[in-house]
């Protein structure tokens, strides 16, 4: 069957991503002592471990203690020294806890063999750091008959504030550059009124209908496919129907413009939409004006668009917009889903476009 | 039947199904503007009203919050769990002090793109002193913004207080062009000392919003993620100016702001205690935005015209 290999590749991508979490998630370090100790920050498993984005709000941290031995440990107390660069706060919890400046003390009491305890603290990174900085938490544990000390390294990544302005500026420059190039080359004249209406209609369907429908269906971890597949299908349809250089860029720019009007999207996302359009148009030129005329090129365009949008979103826009640094395994999972979406969308888009050939308004 | 006809029929059936799906779907998508906070409980108690919560969106699962309740008998308690990114099919599992409270499939109030508020009566599950509340959520890519607790505690050694607990979930966003919303407290006593606690979610630091009580400004940039990401429990002293006080939330520069809970506690004019629980309001469900309907219709017309043209 002609679809067999496509299904195999798709399954492989999804399975690879599903197992990525177990392979890539690094374990916590702990001091070699009779009291096992580890620090988790942030607690969101999807976010990069031991990393804080400067300028973000309070992040919860958890200190886990475990008695791995065979004897009960009595009167355990924990002293956590929070780095000067970070703000710390504590709230009522299971164990008595006090805060004095950068020092937090918790009285755990006794821990039987195999028993564990957790202490929560809230940490706020600084508003800004010039470069990536490493800070160290020091944890002193004391119990009847012994004491230990362990250190935990946490990275503070630079604030994305300057990146925000850079992103907006770069997007606008790219947009202006494309406009100038298009005007000089007369490429816009190539587009007929019918072409522009076709692009606008397809962009409206992506921006308005697909975005709305994507919230109606809940596929859990596979939610990304709901919007990725139909978007790629319409992108391939647009390429085949319009058959002009710059079609994808124009399509995705229209998607943003419509999103701005209908949903109030921010101009900052211009770069994101331009990137996925530009990469497809460059590939069209690279493949000698192949407007997804072959199944393989349709899939290539779909997958490439998925890869670029995932990288641009998770490595640039997520830290800028939400001040979140995602874990590598999570980005890998989303990348695999985007590629799977591009693959399915490429196949379906090619078939749809072929059947609609000549279906211009 | 030729291929063109097949595609036309498939497109029309698809469009019809999609339209029916939109019409009958109560969940997901744009969930509407929501419900402005209204009074769910009010009364007079000799004792105090405790309001606390935390700690912002952290992605932890289960999400744990501890509450140190004051001494006294718990007369009424309402637990609030605002959640980000609610989609149909998600659920939350609430545990209080290690006891199973409930599993909730549907939130009580939902608005915008799925900002939800779950409300629980928890009077019998709580006690004076430390309480642990744990929420296990099944919500990929989302989760609780925080947990907030409002408790009316009876303590005969204290003076009587008048209280109002207002709840709801209203979307102040640029998307729906809603810039302000009011919440009222009926039966307030002018000139009495009072304290106001309000829970807002989705607020961003630096995006200035305003809060007014009886036309007096009582806070600026209140929604600033002060207790954690996108979570603010703001407390302030107020002085009612009439027998019906109004709390006004103004979105200002905020992209999204969801006023969810407002609790007013005032000196009481009377010693006679009472507790009145009001009927909970239900959301009317999400409406399909006009742009979605218009674009769907345009797309259907375009497909129809094209294939009609080809046939001719």
């Amino acid at each position: 069957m002609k679809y067999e290999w496509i299904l195999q590749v798709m399954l492989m991508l999804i399975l690879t991503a599903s197992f990525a979490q177990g392979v890539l998630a690094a374990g916590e370090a702990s001091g070699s002592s009779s009291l096992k100790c580890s620090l988790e920050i942030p607690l969101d498993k999807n976010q990069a471990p031991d990393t804080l984005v400067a300028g973000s709000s309070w992040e919860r941290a958890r200190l886990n203690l475990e008695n791995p031995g065979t004897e009960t440990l009595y009167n355990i107390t924990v002293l956590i020294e929070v780095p000067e660069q970070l703000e710390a706060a504590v709230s009522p919890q299971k164990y008595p806890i006090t805060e004095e400046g950068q020092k937090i003390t918790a009285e755990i009491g006794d821990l039987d063999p195999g028993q564990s305890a957790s202490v929560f603290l809230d940490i706020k990174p600084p508003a800004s750091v010039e470069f990536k900085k490493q800070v160290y938490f020091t944890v002193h544990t004391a119990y009847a008959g012994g004491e230990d000390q362990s250190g935990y390294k946490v990275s503070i990544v630079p604030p994305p504030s300057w990146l925000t302005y850079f992103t907006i500026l770069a997007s606008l420059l790219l947009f202006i550059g494309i406009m100038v190039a298009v005007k000089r080359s007369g490429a816009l004249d190539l587009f007929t009124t019918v072409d522009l209406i076709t692009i606008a209609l397809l962009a409206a369907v992506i921006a308005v209908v697909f975005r709305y429908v994507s919230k109606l269906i809940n596929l859990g971890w596979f939610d990304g496919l709901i919007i990725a597949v139909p978007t790629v299908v319409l992108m391939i349809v647009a390429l085949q129907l319009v058959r002009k250089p710059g079609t994808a860029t124009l399509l995705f720019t229209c998607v943003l413009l419509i999103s701005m009007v209908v949903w109030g999207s921010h101009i900052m996302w211009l770069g994101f939409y331009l990137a996925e359009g530009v990469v497809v148009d460059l590939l069209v030129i690279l493949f000698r004006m192949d407007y997804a005329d072959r199944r393989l090129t349709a899939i290539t365009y779909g997958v490439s668009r998925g890869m670029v949008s995932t990288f641009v979103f998770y490595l640039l826009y997520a830290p800028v917009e939400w001040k979140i640094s995602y874990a590598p395994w999570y980005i890998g999972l989303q990348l695999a889903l985007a590629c799977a979406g591009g693959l399915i969308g490429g196949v379906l888009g090619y078939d749809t476009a072929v059947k609609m050939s000549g279906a211009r308004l | 039947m030729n291929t063109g006809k097949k595609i036309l029929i498939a497109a029309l059936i698809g469009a019809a199904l999609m339209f029916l799906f939109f019409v009958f779907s109560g969940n997901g998508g744009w969930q509407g503007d929501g419900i402005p906070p209204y009074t769910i409980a009010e009364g007079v108690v000799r004792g105090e009203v405790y309001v606390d919560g935390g700690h912002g969106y952290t992605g932890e699962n289960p999400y744990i919050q501890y509450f140190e309740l004051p001494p006294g008998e718990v007369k009424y308690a309402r637990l609030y769990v605002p959640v980000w990114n609610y989609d149909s099919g998600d659920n939350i599992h609430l545990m209080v002090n290690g006891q199973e409270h409930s599993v909730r499939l549907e939130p009580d109030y939902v608005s915008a793109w799925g900002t939800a508020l779950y409300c629980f009566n928890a009077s019998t599950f709580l006690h004076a002193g430390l309480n642990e509340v744990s929420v296990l959520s099944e919500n990929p890519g989302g989760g609780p913004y925080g947990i907030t607790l409002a408790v009316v505690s009876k303590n005969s050694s204290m003076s009587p207080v008048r209280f109002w607990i207002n709840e709801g979930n209203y979307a102040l966003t640029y998307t729906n062009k809603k810039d302000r919303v009011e919440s009222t407290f009926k039966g307030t006593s002018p000139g009495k000392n009072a304290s106001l606690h309000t829970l807002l979610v989705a607020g961003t630091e630096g995006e200035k919003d305003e809060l007014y009580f009886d036309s007096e400004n009582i806070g600026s940039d209140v929604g600033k993620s002060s207790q954690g990401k996108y979570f603010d429990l703001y407390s302030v002293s107020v002085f009612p100016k009439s027998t019906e006080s109004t709390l006004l939330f103004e979105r200002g520069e905020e992209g999204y702001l969801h006023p969810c809970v407002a609790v007013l506690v005032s000196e009481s004019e009377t010693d006679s205690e009472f507790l009145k629980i009001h009927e909970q309001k239900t959301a009317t469900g999400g409406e399909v935005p006009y742009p979605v309907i218009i674009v769907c219709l345009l797309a259907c017309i375009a497909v129809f015209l094209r294939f009609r043209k080809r046939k001719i």
Side-chain angles (χ1 to χ4, degrees):
Chain A
M1 295 294 286
K2 63 180 177 179
Y3 292 111
E4 211 168 65
W5 69 272
I6 293 168
L7 283 170
Q8 282 172 358
V9 173
M10 208 175 74
L11 270 172
M12 200 174 70
L13 280 168
I14 292 170
L15 286 173
T16 308
S18 304
F19 288 117
Q21 180 176 6
V23 177
L24 294 171
E28 293 289 336
S30 73
S32 56
S33 68
S34 48
L35 186 63
K36 206 173 159 190
C37 184
S38 65
L39 183 74
E40 280 180 82
I41 182 168
L43 298 185
D44 191 344
K45 304 286 180 209
N46 297 345
Q47 291 186 34
D50 307 321
T51 304
L52 294 169
V53 179
S56 67
S57 185
W58 293 95
E59 201 65 71
R60 183 148 276 208
R62 179 168 49 208
L63 181 76
N64 301 308
L65 299 163
E66 192 192 342
N67 179 1
T70 53
E71 290 177 9
T72 302
L73 296 175
Y74 297 99
N75 298 324
I76 301 168
T77 55
V78 180
L79 171 67
I80 306 163
E81 286 183 42
V82 179
E84 288 294 329
Q85 294 86 345
L86 303 174
E87 212 177 314
V90 292
S91 51
Q93 50 192 284
K94 203 172 174 182
Y95 304 102
I97 190 161
T98 53
E99 177 199 358
E100 202 178 315
Q102 296 300 99
K103 291 182 179 174
I104 291 164
T105 309
E107 292 168 29
I108 307 298
D110 306 337
L111 275 185
D112 290 330
Q115 202 182 351
S116 59
S118 295
V119 174
F120 294 98
L121 50 151
D122 296 308
I123 299 296
K124 191 174 185 183
S128 64
V129 288
E130 281 183 31
F131 305 102
K132 183 178 175 179
K133 196 173 261 186
Q134 311 236 309
V135 294
Y136 295 87
F137 284 79
T138 309
V139 179
H140 306 268
T141 50
Y143 45 91
E147 58 178 26
D148 293 301
Q149 181 179 314
S150 45
Y152 300 92
K153 187 174 69 179
V154 171
S155 301
I156 307 171
V157 295
S161 53
W162 62 269
L163 210 54
T164 309
Y165 302 121
F166 174 78
T167 307
I168 294 170
L169 190 68
S171 304
L172 288 172
L173 285 175
L174 182 63
F175 185 66
I176 292 164
I178 290 170
M179 285 292 111
V180 170
V182 160
K183 198 177 177 187
R184 281 196 178 171
S185 64
L188 204 57
D189 298 336
L190 293 173
F191 290 99
T192 62
T193 308
V194 171
D195 290 338
L196 295 175
I197 290 172
T198 305
I199 288 172
L201 188 60
L202 294 173
V205 173
I206 294 172
V208 180
V209 183
F210 290 171
R211 183 161 172 186
Y212 182 75
V213 172
S214 70
K215 288 295 288 180
L216 291 173
I217 305 163
N218 187 357
L219 292 185
W221 287 105
F222 302 101
D223 253 3
L225 291 176
I226 298 167
I227 198 145
V229 173
T231 299
V232 173
V233 169
L234 290 199
M235 182 188 79
I236 301 298
V237 168
L239 285 173
Q240 283 216 18
L241 294 188
V242 177
R243 309 189 69 81
K244 306 276 163 57
T247 300
T249 307
L250 196 57
L251 176 77
F252 287 114
T253 306
C254 285
V255 170
L256 174 71
L257 295 175
I258 293 166
S259 297
M260 283 170 71
V261 173
V262 177
W263 306 124
S265 297
H266 199 282
I267 184 71
M268 196 185 82
W269 291 92
L270 179 63
F272 173 79
Y273 286 95
L274 280 177
E276 51 187 356
V278 167
V279 75
V280 172
D281 283 327
L282 287 176
L283 285 171
V284 168
I285 295 166
L286 193 72
F287 288 110
R288 297 179 181 181
M289 297 305 169
D290 183 329
Y291 293 102
D293 297 325
R294 291 173 290 158
R295 194 182 300 278
L296 190 62
T297 47
I299 292 169
T300 307
Y301 298 163
V303 171
S304 305
R305 178 245 161 218
M307 287 172 73
V308 168
S309 62
T310 305
F311 280 127
V312 172
F313 181 82
Y314 285 99
L315 299 180
L316 183 65
Y317 277 86
V320 165
E321 182 74 358
W322 297 321
K323 298 180 175 66
I324 293 175
S325 178
Y326 281 98
W329 72 265
Y330 187 77
I331 297 172
L333 173 73
Q334 296 304 323
L335 183 66
L337 285 175
C339 290
L343 194 71
I344 301 166
V347 173
L348 295 177
Y350 176 79
D351 288 341
T352 310
V354 165
K355 281 171 187 159
M356 285 180 77
S357 59
R360 281 171 247 185
L361 288 172
Chain B
M1 193 184 286
N2 63 31
T3 312
K5 266 190 176 175
K6 282 180 192 170
I7 292 174
L8 177 62
I9 289 166
L12 289 175
I13 290 171
L17 284 174
M18 199 179 276
F19 188 73
L20 288 173
F21 190 42
F22 288 161
V23 169
F24 293 108
S25 171
N27 301 313
W30 176 259
Q31 309 265 358
D33 301 333
I35 296 176
Y38 64 95
T39 304
I40 187 77
E42 61 176 310
V44 173
V45 69
R46 188 171 280 279
E48 61 187 303
V49 178
Y50 165 96
V51 183
D52 198 7
H55 48 269
Y57 180 79
T58 59
E60 66 194 272
N61 202 9
Y63 191 98
I64 299 168
Q65 180 71 25
Y66 290 90
F67 297 94
E68 182 89 58
L69 295 195
E73 181 198 348
V74 175
K75 296 293 286 181
Y76 179 74
R78 194 84 164 146
L79 253 171
Y80 297 104
V81 184
V83 165
W84 178 46
N85 197 32
Y86 164 77
D87 280 324
S88 179
D90 293 344
N91 66 67
I92 68 168
H93 181 177
L94 180 73
M95 302 273 287
V96 181
N97 290 321
Q99 281 182 277
E100 170 102 25
H101 183 288
S102 55
V103 177
R104 194 69 72 80
L105 302 175
E106 301 274 338
D108 295 85
Y109 312 102
V110 62
S111 65
W113 291 106
T115 296
L117 181 70
Y118 294 85
C119 309
F120 302 90
N121 287 323
S123 315
T124 54
F125 289 80
L126 298 162
H127 51 72
L130 193 71
N131 293 267
E132 184 191 84
V133 179
S134 163
V135 171
L136 187 69
S137 63
E138 203 173 295
N139 179 353
Y145 280 112
I147 303 175
T148 297
L149 178 61
V151 176
V152 179
S153 284
K154 185 177 170 63
N155 187 338
S156 303
S157 64
M158 297 178 80
S159 319
V161 289
R162 177 86 166 91
F163 65 88
W164 295 259
I165 299 175
N166 289 14
E167 68 182 33
N169 174 6
Y170 195 76
L172 294 173
T173 81
Y174 53 72
T175 305
N176 61 357
K177 315 276 190 296
K178 300 290 181 191
D179 297 329
R180 56 181 62 84
V181 67
E182 286 182 353
S183 183
T184 55
F185 306 95
K186 287 178 182 166
T188 47
S189 307
K192 293 279 185 191
N193 290 322
S195 56
L196 176 81
H197 312 268
T198 183
L199 166 67
L200 300 118
V201 296
T204 307
E205 190 174 8
E207 293 178 1
K208 204 173 162 191
D209 50 71
E210 303 289 345
L211 189 62
Y212 297 90
F213 184 81
D214 283 346
S215 305
E216 187 187 339
N217 188 298
I218 54 166
S220 199
D221 199 10
V222 173
K224 58 177 179 183
S225 300
S226 57
Q227 275 112 338
K229 276 182 194 163
Y230 312 117
F231 183 90
D232 291 279
L233 186 58
Y234 183 71
S235 298
V236 63
S237 294
V238 291
F239 303 95
K241 287 177 181 165
S242 67
T243 53
E244 184 175 315
S245 291
T246 305
L247 180 65
L248 172 68
F249 300 88
E250 260 193 15
R251 180 168 70 85
E253 297 164 358
E254 292 278 5
Y256 284 83
L257 189 66
H258 291 254
C260 291
V261 178
V263 179
L264 182 67
V265 186
S266 148
E267 292 171 335
S268 177
E269 285 187 324
T270 171
D271 274 356
S272 53
E273 295 179 79
F274 76 94
L275 172 65
K276 187 176 180 186
I277 312 291
H278 294 271
E279 195 179 335
Q280 188 171 328
K281 292 181 182 176
T282 48
T284 50
E287 290 172 2
V288 186
Y290 286 122
V292 176
I293 298 168
I294 292 165
V295 172
C296 278
L297 287 174
L298 282 174
C300 290
I301 291 166
V303 171
F304 177 75
L305 284 176
R306 170 61 213 149
F307 284 100
R308 194 166 165 266
K309 194 177 166 187
R310 282 186 77 190
K311 200 179 167 186
I312 292 164

